[in-house]
């Protein structure tokens, strides 16, 4: 799923997975806040009204400070602007965050309606996280991804979706290209090579010219739609951008990469703080680690039971005792996985097979009546060429403030320039059964369906600050839920692939702490990924780099799923025989995707905290 981050005045588009854009959002009230509860008294109503006004200011002023994210979210009043990461710009953002926190602190949160209590706590977490990053973490001083993300997003967010006529978007892109040299100059001014980790420097050095590929992909082919002075200005802006990117490339290659000596590990104290802001979860670091390690053990035991089933009486099968040694367990699971790996789509069959899995998953969800399915199906498209080669598919939805734009389930054909070896490795990982799991996760009843439901909640603030933990957790939850409901129940190898895919989410949470808190070596990380959770080595190598480049985000999938599982268990315990799975799912999805802990508190009438 495309996780689109937005942290107001954070001055980076790459830190917190604070939002996941909703799918086809409904029109929210103008004030951006949830209306007061029906039984609210006079003082509560006054407080809710004051919070509605503050929410509107938060969005209006915050999006103005973050114009690149604003475009992504669907606020297009700032499409010609770009974020200011100069010292003056950062100080302005810090002052604004502190002022907003002070205004929020004047409100009696307990006097708000329960829904607005949730929104107020989400807002506070966002503001405090922004300040923490600006003043303590200081990503602007050591993470060059902050700048590369903004430079690419400045163009991509304008051109990837048809929210306005092409000439209008080209004019906005022209204005932003004119400002890109200043952003890149701010990067060179702000970044201290001694604090920049080597992997970060090398990664951004490879990505830098991607801005030019965006111009070549989106702007140059449409240049004829501008004429006269507008065309001249755009051509000049393109040339200015090319020169600025080349100048920046020389600095990256000649100064930053050779002198990058920073530590990518952020340490326990900062990791705990970052988890607090990026996950907004009820689970602590210690609880996440404990649960993930226990879950990995359980999942491997379940995978072994499937292996016993599919390998029984197979010629040359490994030993399959009921109480296996670790080595016997490993060999049996690997042998069973080979049976699934062998059933791959052909090189030219990936797109058609992914479409088939969407039909199957949609039909099953309907027939089992697991959740209310939207009337309008998700649109299937070919993944844009420059985004291919990382995964088979993703769900791409518009920003919550964009109205009437399509949601896409993008499917990737195999790139034409891939070698047979690359294709073989890729399709072993994304075999037919795993593509079924992927479609459940990305589309039905995962991200696409969740987005349609969640978008109906009327709070604009909650839509803009949607929880990636909720959305990713829901998608992981649905993988197991569908398997438990009998999806491909006559095929144990599907269950094996579902467990393998889930083991990846579990491993992500362990890996994240292992690197940033426990000082893991690459060998330890690769053992977890390749041996313990059966990932292909090519994929594990990429994850090793990703884990260095980020912190906190890899825990999103596991933490969100665990909180969803916990919430369902608590609701089942409360209702007993009256529990209805469809009603439960519809209710969970009706809250607009806040952090999962708030969904549980709202459903179970617990204190909002």
């Amino acid at each position: 799923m495309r996780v689109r981050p937005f942290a107001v005045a954070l001055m980076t588009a790459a830190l917190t997975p604070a939002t996941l854009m909703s799918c086809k959002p409904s029109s929210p009230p103008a004030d951006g806040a949830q209306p007061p509860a029906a039984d609210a008294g006079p003082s509560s109503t006054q407080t809710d009204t004051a919070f509605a006004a503050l929410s509107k200011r938060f969005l209006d002023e915050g999006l103005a400070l973050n114009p690149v994210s604003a475009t992504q979210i669907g606020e297009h009043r700032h499409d010609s602007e770009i974020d200011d990461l100069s010292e003056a710009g950062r100080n302005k953002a810090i002052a604004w965050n502190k002022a907003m926190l002070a205004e929020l602190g004047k409100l009696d949160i307990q006097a708000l309606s329960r829904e607005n209590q949730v929104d107020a706590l989400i807002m506070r977490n966002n503001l405090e996280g922004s300040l923490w990053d600006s003043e303590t973490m200081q990503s602007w001083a050591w993470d060059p991804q902050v700048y590369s993300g903004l430079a690419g997003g400045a163009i991509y967010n304008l051109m990837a979706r048809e929210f306005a006529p092409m000439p209008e978007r080209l004019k906005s892109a022209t204005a932003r290209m004119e400002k890109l040299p200043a952003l890149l100059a701010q990067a060179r001014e702000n970044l201290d090579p001694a604090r920049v980790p080597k992997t970060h420097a090398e990664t951004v050095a490879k990505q830098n010219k991607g801005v030019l590929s965006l111009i070549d992909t989106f702007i140059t082919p449409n240049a004829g739609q501008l004429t006269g002075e507008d065309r001249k200005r755009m051509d000049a802006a393109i040339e200015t951008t090319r020169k600025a990117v080349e100048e920046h490339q020389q600095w990256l290659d000649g100064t930053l990469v050779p002198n990058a000596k920073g530590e990518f590990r952020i340490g326990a104290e900062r990791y705990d703080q970052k988890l607090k802001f990026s996950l907004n979860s009820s689970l602590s670091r210690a609880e996440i680690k404990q649960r993930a390690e226990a879950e990995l053990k359980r999942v491997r035991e379940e995978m072994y039971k499937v292996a016993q089933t599919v390998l029984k009486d197979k010629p040359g099968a490994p030993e399959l005792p009921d109480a296996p040694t670790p080595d016997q367990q490993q060999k049996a699971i690997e042998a069973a996985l080979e049976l699934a790996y062998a059933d791959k789509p052909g090189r030219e069959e990936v797109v058609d097979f992914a479409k088939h899995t969407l039909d199957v998953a949609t039909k099953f969800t309907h027939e089992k009546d697991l959740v209310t399915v939207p009337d309008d199906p998700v649109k299937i498209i070919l993944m844009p060429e420059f985004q291919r080669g990382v995964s088979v598919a993703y769900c791409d939805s518009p920003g919550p403030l964009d109205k009437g734009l399509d949601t896409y389930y993008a499917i990737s054909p195999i790139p034409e320039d891939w070698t047979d070896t690359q294709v073989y490795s890729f399709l072993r990982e994304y075999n037919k059964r795993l593509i079924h799991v992927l479609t459940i996760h990305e589309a039905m009843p995962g991200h696409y369906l969740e987005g349609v439901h969640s978008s109906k909640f009327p709070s604009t603030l909650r839509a803009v600050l949607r929880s990636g933990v909720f959305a990713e957790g829901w998608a992981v939850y649905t993988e197991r839920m569908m398997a438990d409901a009998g999806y491909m129940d006559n095929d144990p190898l599907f269950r094996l692939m579902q467990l393998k895919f889930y083991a990846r989410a579990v491993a992500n949470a362990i890996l994240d702490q292992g690197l940033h808190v426990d000082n893991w070596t690459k060998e330890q990380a690769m053992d977890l990924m390749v041996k313990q959770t059966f990932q292909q080595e090519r994929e594990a190598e990429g994850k090793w780099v990703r884990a260095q480049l980020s912190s906190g985000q890899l825990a999103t999938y596991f933490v969100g799923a665990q909180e969803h599982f916990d919430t369902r268990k608590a609701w089942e315990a409360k209702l007993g025989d009256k529990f209805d799975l469809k009603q439960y799912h519809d209710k969970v999805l009706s809250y607009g995707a806040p952090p999962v802990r708030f969904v549980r508190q709202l459903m179970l009438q617990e204190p909002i905290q």
Side-chain angles (χ1 to χ4, degrees):
M1 180 68 184
R2 292 300 177 81
V3 176
R4 293 184 171 98
F6 169 63
V8 173
L10 189 59
M11 311 315 293
T12 166
L15 176 68
T16 4
T19 64
L20 185 68
M21 295 301 97
S22 59
C23 299
K24 299 175 70 175
S26 58
S27 299
D31 61 19
Q34 175 71 359
D39 58 349
S43 61
S44 178
T45 301
Q46 293 171 3
T47 307
D48 282 308
T49 300
F51 178 68
L54 186 63
S55 296
K56 187 176 188 304
R57 279 188 54 203
F58 173 86
L59 294 172
D60 287 348
E61 297 173 7
L63 290 170
L65 287 169
N66 293 262
V68 173
S69 289
T71 300
Q72 191 176 55
I73 286 164
E75 169 56 82
H76 297 295
R77 289 180 293 173
H78 314 293
D79 283 354
S80 63
E81 302 301 322
I82 202 166
D83 299 40
D84 180 6
L85 275 69
S86 67
E87 183 176 7
R90 297 195 310 273
N91 288 339
K92 179 180 179 182
I94 289 171
W96 182 84
N97 270 274
K98 290 180 177 179
M100 288 298 297
L101 273 172
E103 289 297 313
L104 183 60
K106 295 176 183 177
L107 298 179
D108 180 1
I109 292 181
Q110 295 303 313
L112 293 168
S113 69
R114 285 174 60 80
E115 294 291 356
N116 277 344
Q117 288 179 42
V118 170
D119 282 5
L121 292 177
I122 293 173
M123 182 195 295
R124 186 171 70 188
N125 182 78
N126 183 272
L127 289 165
E128 290 176 347
S130 300
L131 282 173
W132 175 79
D133 183 74
S134 295
E135 298 182 316
T136 302
M137 196 67 175
Q138 296 185 341
S139 298
W140 53 269
W142 61 268
D143 188 355
Q145 295 176 103
V146 170
Y147 304 90
S148 62
L150 283 173
I155 305 301
Y156 181 81
N157 295 348
L158 286 171
M159 306 305 298
R161 308 195 79 90
E162 297 180 6
F163 60 82
M166 178 60 73
E168 181 179 331
R169 289 183 286 138
L170 287 172
K171 292 177 185 178
S172 297
T174 297
R176 282 189 170 171
M177 286 189 290
E178 291 171 342
K179 297 175 176 68
L180 279 177
L183 174 67
L184 298 179
Q186 288 168 3
R188 296 191 292 273
E189 174 68 23
N190 294 342
L191 291 170
D192 178 0
R195 297 178 63 185
V196 176
K198 192 77 167 179
T199 301
H200 291 63
E202 292 174 345
T203 298
V204 170
K206 294 175 184 176
Q207 294 175 340
N208 179 56
K209 291 188 178 180
V211 174
L212 303 182
S213 72
L214 290 173
I215 292 173
D216 294 337
T217 300
F218 289 111
I219 296 178
T220 303
N222 296 294
Q225 297 193 41
L226 291 184
T227 59
E229 291 301 317
D230 290 333
R231 175 63 187 270
K232 290 180 182 178
R233 182 182 170 189
M234 184 184 70
D235 289 343
I238 291 174
E239 184 61 27
T240 297
T241 300
R242 292 189 187 280
K243 291 179 180 178
V245 169
E246 184 57 42
E247 178 186 2
H248 195 58
Q249 189 70 51
Q250 293 176 7
W251 178 80
L252 290 169
D253 294 336
T255 300
L256 188 63
V257 172
N259 297 292
K261 296 179 172 58
E263 174 57 67
F264 72 83
R265 295 176 175 87
I266 67 174
E269 181 180 354
R270 290 190 175 186
Y271 187 87
D272 287 343
Q273 291 177 303
K274 190 166 186 181
L275 280 188
K276 171 188 172 184
F277 297 124
S278 63
L279 301 186
N280 204 352
S281 167
S282 59
L283 299 179
S284 67
R285 169 168 56 91
E287 289 171 323
I288 293 169
K289 182 178 181 179
Q290 180 182 27
R291 291 181 68 151
E293 290 176 345
E295 193 71 341
L296 179 55
K297 181 176 183 294
R298 184 195 67 78
V299 170
R300 284 179 59 93
E301 290 172 351
E302 193 170 344
M303 292 177 77
Y304 179 74
K305 290 178 182 178
V306 176
Q308 285 181 301
T309 299
V310 300
L311 295 174
K312 184 180 180 181
D313 301 327
K314 289 276 186 184
E319 295 179 89
L320 300 168
D322 289 337
T325 66
D327 186 59
Q328 288 171 328
Q329 184 192 66
Q330 185 74 20
K331 288 180 179 179
I333 295 172
E334 289 175 350
L337 288 170
E338 286 296 331
L339 299 177
Y341 296 156
D343 190 12
K344 307 183 295 292
R347 181 172 185 148
E348 305 301 328
E349 298 172 356
V350 172
V351 173
D352 286 341
F353 188 77
K355 291 179 179 179
H356 164 71
T357 64
L358 181 57
D359 291 340
V360 173
T362 302
K363 181 180 179 181
F364 182 87
T365 304
H366 270 295
E367 289 179 347
K368 293 292 185 178
D369 207 21
L370 299 172
V371 61
T372 299
V373 178
D375 293 332
D376 296 332
V378 60
K379 288 191 175 181
I380 298 174
I381 66 167
L382 288 181
M383 189 181 298
E385 186 173 355
F386 71 96
Q387 294 172 337
R388 296 174 188 172
V390 177
S391 66
V392 168
Y394 60 73
C395 178
D396 187 13
S397 50
L401 305 185
D402 274 323
K403 303 296 182 288
L405 300 186
D406 291 327
T407 297
Y408 303 126
Y409 177 32
I411 303 169
S412 174
I414 298 293
E416 293 181 1
D417 61 350
W418 272 24
T419 66
D420 289 342
T421 300
Q422 288 174 307
V423 172
Y424 179 75
S425 175
F426 183 76
L427 290 179
R428 274 171 60 84
E429 184 70 21
Y430 292 98
N431 55 78
K432 287 185 176 180
R433 291 172 179 85
L434 195 72
I435 293 176
H436 273 281
V437 181
L438 191 65
T439 295
I440 290 169
H441 180 106
E442 298 292 354
M444 183 64 68
H447 284 311
Y448 165 69
L449 183 141
E450 176 268 321
V452 175
H453 275 266
S454 299
S455 67
K456 297 175 182 178
F457 191 78
S459 167
T460 306
L461 184 140
R462 195 176 299 183
V464 170
L465 298 183
R466 286 188 70 199
S467 168
V469 177
F470 179 99
E472 293 295 356
W474 168 263
V476 175
Y477 163 85
T478 62
E479 298 162 19
R480 186 194 299 182
M481 182 271 291
M482 290 282 276
D484 289 345
Y487 188 85
M488 296 180 66
D489 200 28
N490 61 344
D491 184 358
L493 287 177
F494 168 76
R495 173 66 85 166
L496 188 66
M497 283 296 102
Q498 179 262 311
L499 291 168
K500 169 183 156 71
F501 203 62
Y502 177 57
R504 186 193 302 185
V506 178
N508 283 347
I510 299 172
L511 176 66
D512 201 44
Q513 289 193 34
L515 260 66
H516 291 285
V517 178
D518 300 328
N519 298 316
W520 273 18
T521 64
K522 183 178 181 180
E523 288 71 27
Q524 288 174 291
M526 296 299 286
D527 178 78
L528 171 69
M529 291 184 283
V530 176
K531 183 177 180 181
Q532 297 182 50
T533 55
F534 309 99
Q535 299 175 45
Q536 296 292 302
E537 191 156 348
R538 176 184 175 92
E539 179 175 325
E541 286 283 353
K543 187 67 65 62
W544 164 250
V545 173
R546 176 181 169 186
Q548 295 177 64
L549 294 173
S550 66
S551 53
Q553 196 278 330
L554 282 175
T556 300
Y557 311 91
F558 176 74
V559 171
Q562 290 299 298
E563 291 189 310
H564 274 291
F565 290 133
D566 290 349
T567 301
R568 173 172 164 178
K569 184 177 180 180
W571 192 248
E572 285 180 311
K574 179 178 180 177
L575 293 191
D577 294 340
K578 295 180 180 180
F579 176 82
D580 179 276
L581 190 60
K582 179 181 181 180
Q583 291 177 1
Y584 169 75
H585 289 153
D586 287 352
K587 189 173 185 66
V588 166
L589 296 177
S590 71
Y591 292 103
V596 187
R597 66 188 179 97
F598 292 131
V599 172
R600 175 173 175 157
Q601 291 164 9
L602 288 167
M603 290 180 67
L604 297 175
Q605 293 298 305
E606 298 173 348
I608 304 299
Q609 56 188 10

